[in-house]
Amino acid sequence: MREVTVGIGGAAGDGLDKTGDTLAKTAARLGLYVYAYNSYQSVIRGGHIWLRVRIGEKKLTSHGDHVNVLIALNQDSIERHAREVESGGAIIYNSDKLKLDPTLLRDNVLPVPLPVSTITKPFGKVPPVMQNTVALGALLFLIGLDFETAASVLTDTFKHKGQAVIDQNVAIARAGYDYAKEHFVPLGYTWTFTHVRRPFITGNEAFAIGAVTAGCKFYSAYPMTPASSILHWMAAHAERCGIVVKQCEDELAVVNMAIGAGYAGVRAMCGTSGGGFALMTEAIGQAGMIEAPVVVIEVQRGGPSTGLPTKTEQGDLNQVFGASQGDYPRVIIAPGDVADCFAAAVEAFNLAEKYQLPVILMSDLLLSEHPETIEPDALRYDVPIERGELVTEWDESQGKYKRYAFTRSGVSPRALPGTEGAAHVAATDDHDEEGILISDVFTCPPVRRKIHEKRMRKLEAVLRELPPPTLEGPEDAEVTLIGWGSTKGVIREAIEKLAQEGIRANHLHIKYLFPFHAREVAEILRRCRKTICVEANYSGQFARYLRAETGISVDAHIRKYDGEPFEPRYIVERVKAILEGASHTLDVTEDEAREIAYHYIRTHLDDDARPGRISRLERDGFEEPIWDVEIISRETGQTRGRLFIGVETGSTYHWQPAELVS
Amino acid sequence: MATVIELPIEVYAGPVDPDWCPGCGDFGVLKAVKMAAGKLGIKPKDLVIISGIGCSSNLPGFIHAYGVHSLHGRAVAVAQGIKLANHDLHVVVTGGDGDGYGIGIGHFIHAMRRNIDITYVVMNNQIYGLTTGQASPTTMKDVRTKSTPRGNAEPPINPIALALVSGATYVARGFSGEPEHLAQLIAGGIAHRGFALIDVFSPCVTYNKVNTYPWFKQRIYKLEEEPGYDPSDVMAALQRSFEWGDRIPIGLFYRDEQPIYEDSEPALRKGPLVHHPLRPERAVFEELIEELM
Ligand SMILES: Cc1ncc(C[n+]2csc(CCOP(=O)(O)OP(=O)(O)O)c2C)c(N)n1
Ligand code: SF4
C-alpha cells in the first residue's frame, strides 16, 4: 500500500489540530507526502470538526475521497464517520468513554478500543486531551510510521513548554504505541522512507512567506476568516522580518493604509475575505487611478453576506472583477496550489511595482488553510525583485517632473515622496500628466482620453509578460476539464482516476484571470472535443467570463456550493454522468438526508439521538417524495421517532416522536 | 537642536490657483499651512499633504509639496500608511468636516487613539460645500440646508471634545480669518510629536449663511489670552470644548507628550521602512522554512 488517509473527528476544543499536525509532520519528516484538510465550523468549542490527513509516497494534490483509519474523539464522530472507513482500515477510540456499534462498520474494519485511563494510569492525573496522544501512538503502530520520528516532532512542538511536558507527551504516545503493539496487528502498510525534508505549509503561510521574501514591509488587515492566518503569521514574524503589521479599525483603513505605504515606496500588502473586499473596492480603483502599487489578497469563503465563515467557495469572481467603478488597470491572479501561492506573491509585487497598479490575488479557504508538503525548492530565497522605473532625483532644468507622463508603455517613472525636485500630487480625481485635476475648472476631454488610454495601456505589456495557459494531458482527450484557482489539484487527480476507468481527459487550468489570454484560450478550446467547466460556485461565474472573453460556451458544468471542497470521485462521477448524457438532479441524496437529520438532532433533539435507517417514500401528503429517517437512541438503539425530509426541497417537514408511532 | 532655517511661503507656491469661491475660508487655511511649513523650514520634498474629497480637500493641488488627493473620508488612513512607510516625512492631512467627521470619523478616532505622528487640519465650514450645501456632522441643530429643509434634527458633533477623549495629544482650534494665529497652531501641531488636530472655522460663503465671518468674529476669543488657562489640563480643556454660544474659544486647548505609535514598531527602529533593504537576511529566511518542517 502506498497511501493512507487518517480521519480525525471530534468537537472544537478536543485538540484535533495538534494530533493531525503531529501525524502530518511525522510523515513529512520520514519523507512522505502529506495533504490535510480541516472541515471546521465557526465555534470555539463544540460543533463537529472533521480533519483528514492523507499520507502517500507520491505527491498528493487533494485530500482524496476516502478514509482508512478513523480516530474518533467523541461519539458523534464514530457515528458519522465509522461507515466511511474502508475495508482493511481501523477505528481508534477511547473505550472508556465511547461505544462502537458494530453495525456501523463495513466488512474487515478493525475496531481499536483504547482503555485510555488504564493506559495513562502510570502517568498520574493527565488532562483529557491526552486521549489524543494515546490514539496517536496507537495509530503510528497501526499504519507503520516510525515512533522516534514522532517523538522528535513532539519534542519540537512542546519545546516552549519545557522538558517535563515533552517527556510526558512522548511517554504517553509511547504507551499508546506499545498498547497497540500488544493487542492488535498492524494494518499492513509498508513504506519506503526517503527522509527527504519537505516544508509542510498552508496557502496562507506560503502567501506570507512569499511576500516577505519579495520584500513586503507593510501588511495591514482586519480579522476575517479565512484570511486571518496571514495576519497571524505576519504578526508573529514581524519583528524578525522587519515588517510593520497593522491591524486596522476596518477594511477601508486596511486598504487605504496599504495604498499609502505603497505610494510612499514600500512593498505593501493587505488581505481579507469577500465581505472585507467589498469594503475595499472603492480604494482599489483609487490605487489604479493614482497608480500606487499594492497587493490585495482575497481569500474567498462561502457567500453572499457573511455566508459560510469557515467553508470554501469560488463565488467572488464577479465581485473581484466588478471591484470599483469605472475602468482601471489591475491584475488578478488565482494561484492553483500552495507552492504557487509563494510564487504568485512574489510575482504580484513585481507586477504591482513595475506597472504601478493594484494586483489582486484570489484564493479560497481550501487553498489558503489546508496544509500540504511541497517540494523544498518551491520556496526560494533569491526570488527576482523588480521595482520598475524610479526617479531618484529630478533636476528641474530638465523641465517639470511629470508623475503621470504620457508614455508609449503607459508606465510613467515614479518618484517617491522625499525625492528632491519631483514634488507632485497623486490625485484620485482624474488628472493630467502633472497630476493636476481635469474635472471641474480645467475640464479637458482630450487629456482625459489620453490619460485613460495611458493607464489602460499598461495591461498590454502585462499580458505579454504573463505566460498563456496550456492544456495538460493528451491533446486528443474525450473531455477537457477547465478550472481556475484552487481546483487545480483535485481536477488533476480526477483525471488520473478517469484514465484508470478508460476515459481520456485533459485539463485547462487558468491562473491569470486578468488581463486574460483570450486568443490563446479560444484556440485551445476550439480544438477540444467536450469542455466541462469545474468551479465551486452556483452560477458558473468563470464559465460566463470565459464566454465573454472567447465567445465559447462550455458544453457542461460541474459545480459545488455546499461549502466543502471538491473531491476527485465527485468530479469523476459527474464527468461520467455527463458523458452518458444523464441529467443532473439536485435531489437530496441519502447521505445528505442523514446530514440534515444530524442537523435537526443538534438543533431540536438531544445528544442521545442519531439517525438510523433511512428509506425513501413517495409523496404522501407532502408536496414531494420524502426521506423517512428513523431516529434512534445512541444508548439503547431504540427508535425515538421519525423525521420526514423533502427529497426535492430538503425541508424537515415533520418530526414524529415514537410514542405516537406505535 | 539644529537651527531652523525658515523658508518664505513662495517656496510652496502651487502649480495652479485655488478654485474656491471668492471669500471662501479655505484660502486662509492654505496660507496658514504654507506659513507653518515655512516657519518650520520644511522643504517641499519632505512635506506630504493628504486630503479626501470636498472643496477643502482640493488644498494639496494648490501647494508645492508631495500630496495625495485620496477618497472621501480616507485621507487619514492613507496618511498613516505613508507615515509608517517613511516616518521622516512631515505628514499633514487637510480636509473638510464632512470628510473627517462624517464618512471618515472611524479613521479619525482610531488615528488619535494610536497617537500616530500626523497633523490633521480640518476646514470646518459646518456644511457640505462641494456637493452644494447639505447638512454636515457639524451643522448646528435646526439650521435649514438643502437636505434639511425643515431644520437639522441632529445636534452637531463636538470635534474638540471628541479629540480630547480619543487620545489626541495636541488639540487646537483656529479661525481662517486669523491666518497668523492659525499658522502658529498648525506649526505647533507639525512640530508636536504625536497626533495633532487643528479644527478650523473656515466659513463657506456660498452655502452656510449662518456661521459667517461676522458670526465668528463676534464670538471667538483666544485661550492664550485667558488668565490661568493651562493647556496641559485635560479637564479644563474638556470644559472649554463645550463652550458654544456668545463666547467660543480658539487656540491651543490641550497638549501632552506621550509615546507615539511609531515608537511601538520594532521595524521602525532601524529608520524609515522605505530605506530598509528589501530582501530579508538569508538566515532569517532559512529559519522561516525550518519552522515548517
Ligand atoms: C463615497 C463618497 N460619497 C460621497 C461623495 C460625494 N462628496 C464629495 S465631497 C462631499 C462632502 C464634502 O464636504 P466636506 O468634507 O465638509 O468638504 P467641503 O466641500 O465642505 O469643504 C461629498 C458627500 C464622494 N465623493 N464619495
Ligand atoms: S462652496 Fe463653500 S466651501 Fe466650497 S469653495 Fe465655495 S465657499 Fe468654499
Side-chain angles (χ1 to χ4, degrees), chain B residues 7-14 16 18 28-40 47 49 62-64 183 186:
Chain B
L7 295 171
I9 72 166
E10 291 71 41
V11 166
Y12 309 101
V16 292
V29 182
L30 174 64
K31 188 169 168 207
V33 170
K34 290 178 180 174
M35 282 161 58
K39 260 191 231 299
L40 299 171
L47 179 63
I49 304 192
F62 311 137
I63 183 168
H64 178 61
I186 296 174

Side-chain angles (χ1 to χ4, degrees), chain A residues 396-408:
Chain A
E396 287 187 32
S397 66
Q398 297 166 253
K400 193 177 173 345
Y401 166 72
K402 293 175 178 169
R403 168 65 186 93
Y404 301 108
F406 293 174
T407 59
R408 283 190 190 281

Side-chain angles (χ1 to χ4, degrees), chain B residues 2-277:
Chain B
T3 41
V4 171
I5 302 166
E6 293 196 17
L7 295 171
I9 72 166
E10 291 71 41
V11 166
Y12 309 101
V16 292
D17 291 333
D19 54 10
W20 293 313
C21 306
C24 173
D26 298 348
F27 284 100
V29 182
L30 174 64
K31 188 169 168 207
V33 170
K34 290 178 180 174
M35 282 161 58
K39 260 191 231 299
L40 299 171
I42 300 172
K43 293 188 189 143
K45 78 175 178 71
D46 297 321
L47 179 63
V48 191
I49 304 192
I50 299 104
S51 68
I53 298 293
C55 296
S56 43
S57 283
N58 288 343
L59 187 143
F62 311 137
I63 183 168
H64 178 61
Y66 280 92
V68 181
H69 184 187
S70 75
L71 297 168
H72 193 36
R74 309 298 156 216
V76 171
V78 173
Q80 292 175 83
I82 294 172
K83 187 72 188 184
L84 291 170
N86 186 351
H87 60 269
D88 277 352
L89 298 168
H90 297 279
V91 174
V92 178
V93 183
T94 57
D97 45 301
D99 192 77
Y101 306 149
I103 191 166
I105 194 160
H107 305 313
F108 172 52
I109 291 175
H110 288 279
M112 292 192 285
R113 176 168 80 86
R114 278 174 202 131
N115 196 30
I116 191 164
D117 185 17
I118 63 177
T119 305
Y120 190 16
V121 181
V122 180
M123 288 160 262
N124 184 353
N125 55 14
Q126 297 162 274
I127 200 88
Y128 282 10
L130 192 64
T131 46
T132 70
Q134 303 86 355
S136 97
T138 47
T139 300
M140 295 195 304
K141 199 153 184 306
D142 302 326
V143 169
R144 286 168 197 264
T145 71
K146 271 191 187 164
S147 59
T148 57
R150 285 173 288 117
N152 181 21
E154 300 169 17
I157 277 198
N158 180 337
I160 300 293
L162 187 63
L164 290 168
V165 301
S166 301
T169 48
Y170 182 104
V171 182
R173 182 192 276 151
F175 175 43
S176 64
E178 300 215 24
E180 290 279 353
H181 177 248
L182 178 59
Q184 285 290 354
L185 294 173
I186 296 174
I190 297 175
H192 173 75
R193 227 177 154 261
F195 190 96
L197 169 72
I198 298 107
D199 181 72
V200 187
F201 292 138
S202 179
C204 170
V205 293
T206 308
Y207 295 112
N208 190 336
K209 302 296 185 202
V210 179
N211 311 103
T212 57
Y213 284 99
W215 192 90
F216 284 112
K217 284 209 172 110
Q218 274 165 25
R219 291 169 168 82
I220 55 173
Y221 74 92
K222 293 197 176 106
L223 285 169
E224 307 80 286
E225 291 163 8
E226 288 289 286
Y229 185 78
D230 173 9
S232 71
D233 179 349
V234 72
M235 295 315 284
L238 205 51
Q239 212 156 24
R240 296 276 178 169
S241 76
F242 286 102
E243 227 178 322
W244 187 272
D246 294 342
R247 267 168 66 81
I248 301 176
I250 63 169
L252 179 64
F253 280 73
Y254 179 63
R255 181 177 51 209
D256 187 20
E257 299 291 326
Q258 290 288 334
I260 59 170
Y261 180 80
E262 295 88 313
D263 293 339
S264 69
E265 280 291 347
L268 300 186
R269 280 181 216 138
K270 283 182 280 167
L273 271 186
V274 71
H275 302 318
H276 292 199

Side-chain angles (χ1 to χ4, degrees), chain A residues 368-523:
Chain A
S368 275
E369 291 198 337
H370 92 266
E372 64 176 84
T373 46
I374 59 173
E375 295 305 338
D377 61 4
L379 309 179
R380 285 174 43 209
Y381 175 69
D382 52 352
V383 296
I385 292 179
E386 299 167 73
R387 305 215 64 183
E389 290 178 78
L390 276 175
V391 170
T392 50
E393 59 185 305
W394 188 268
D395 183 350
E396 287 187 32
S397 66
Q398 297 166 253
K400 193 177 173 345
Y401 166 72
K402 293 175 178 169
R403 168 65 186 93
Y404 301 108
F406 293 174
T407 59
R408 283 190 190 281
S409 66
V411 176
S412 320
R414 189 159 70 109
L416 307 178
T419 305
E420 191 74 61
H424 64 272
V425 174
T428 184
D429 266 31
D430 214 346
H431 43 257
D432 66 12
E433 287 182 275
E434 295 175 22
I436 295 167
L437 308 197
I438 51 164
S439 53
D440 315 329
V441 179
F442 304 102
T443 299
C444 183
V447 173
R448 154 68 183 186
R449 175 165 84 82
K450 293 322 285 182
I451 191 154
H452 207 39
E453 287 166 2
K454 175 203 104 76
R455 278 190 299 265
M456 299 307 291
R457 202 151 60 224
K458 296 188 222 176
L459 291 171
E460 296 165 17
V462 176
L463 187 64
R464 274 198 304 276
E465 181 169 331
L466 302 178
T470 52
L471 203 56
E472 274 185 49
E475 275 274 333
D476 60 338
E478 254 174 278
V479 260
T480 298
L481 299 181
I482 305 162
W484 62 281
S486 69
T487 52
K488 182 171 158 185
V490 70
I491 291 178
R492 188 166 294 180
E493 189 170 344
I495 285 174
E496 283 170 23
K497 283 203 152 81
L498 284 166
Q500 284 159 16
E501 301 192 28
I503 297 169
R504 286 161 68 78
N506 56 18
H507 183 191
L508 182 65
H509 173 76
I510 309 285
K511 171 178 174 181
Y512 300 103
L513 301 176
F514 191 89
F516 191 71
H517 289 98
R519 192 170 46 81
E520 291 87 341
V521 170
E523 263 167 34

